[in-house]
Amino acid sequence: MGSGQVLATVEEIQERHDVIKEIERKFLGLQQIYFDLAILVTHIVRFWMTLKYSRVVLLSALKGRDLIARTKTGTGQTLAFGIPIIKSLSEEMEGRVSTRRLGRLPKALVLAPTRELAKTSRE
């Protein structure tokens, strides 16, 4: 085996090592994505399974229905009403839906009975 052949073999080994390192890096990134996704799915499942009120309100609101509802604290009202509002505003901004006239009309109206709840809803 000549020195040129040894150098070629070393270069080939280095290239393979670099490829393996790149695959490992991508795998670790993908692993983090799946981990984050698992956490998100867990939160979504908890939201859907434990908050029956929110499920009913959210589904109705996503269909564009006007709603007035009342329930105990901690049952997910902020999310149940907030998700459809954010979805609607996002779609309007993307130009996919233009159900409202342009101008200074309100896009959504959120009423809160206490200052604390108003601050929480704003966040």
Side-chain angles (χ1 to χ4, degrees):
M1 187 184 265
S3 64
Q5 204 173 16
V6 169
L7 287 175
T9 302
V10 169
E11 286 177 10
E12 183 180 339
I13 290 170
Q14 184 62 45
E15 287 175 10
R16 289 182 180 184
H17 180 265
D18 292 345
V19 167
I20 289 171
K21 283 292 187 187
E22 180 65 19
I23 290 170
E24 183 180 55
R25 186 186 66 74
K26 288 180 179 179
F27 176 75
L28 290 175
L30 187 60
Q31 183 180 10
Q32 183 62 47
I33 290 170
Y34 283 125
F35 180 72
D36 294 343
L37 186 59
I39 291 172
L40 177 63
V41 167
T42 301
H43 287 293
I44 291 171
V45 167
R46 281 186 191 159
F47 173 76
W48 281 98
M49 297 307 291
T50 61
L51 306 174
K52 292 179 182 179
Y53 165 84
S54 296
R55 234 189 342 230
V56 171
V57 170
L58 182 57
L59 292 174
S60 297
L62 286 172
K63 291 177 182 176
R65 296 182 182 146
D66 292 333
L67 299 169
I68 296 176
R70 183 173 95 169
T71 189
K72 294 180 182 178
T73 301
T75 57
Q77 306 97 315
T78 303
L79 285 176
F81 285 99
I83 291 171
I85 290 170
I86 292 169
K87 179 181 177 281
S88 174
L89 294 174
S90 297
E91 288 174 347
E92 278 189 30
M93 287 176 61
E94 291 175 5
R96 287 190 279 168
V97 176
S98 61
T99 58
R100 290 184 165 72
R101 295 181 303 153
L102 297 177
R104 299 187 67 180
L105 296 174
K107 302 285 185 183
L109 176 63
V110 178
L111 302 176
T114 65
R115 184 175 294 162
E116 181 181 315
L117 185 56
K119 286 180 180 179
T120 301
S121 299
R122 182 175 177 226
E123 292 170 2

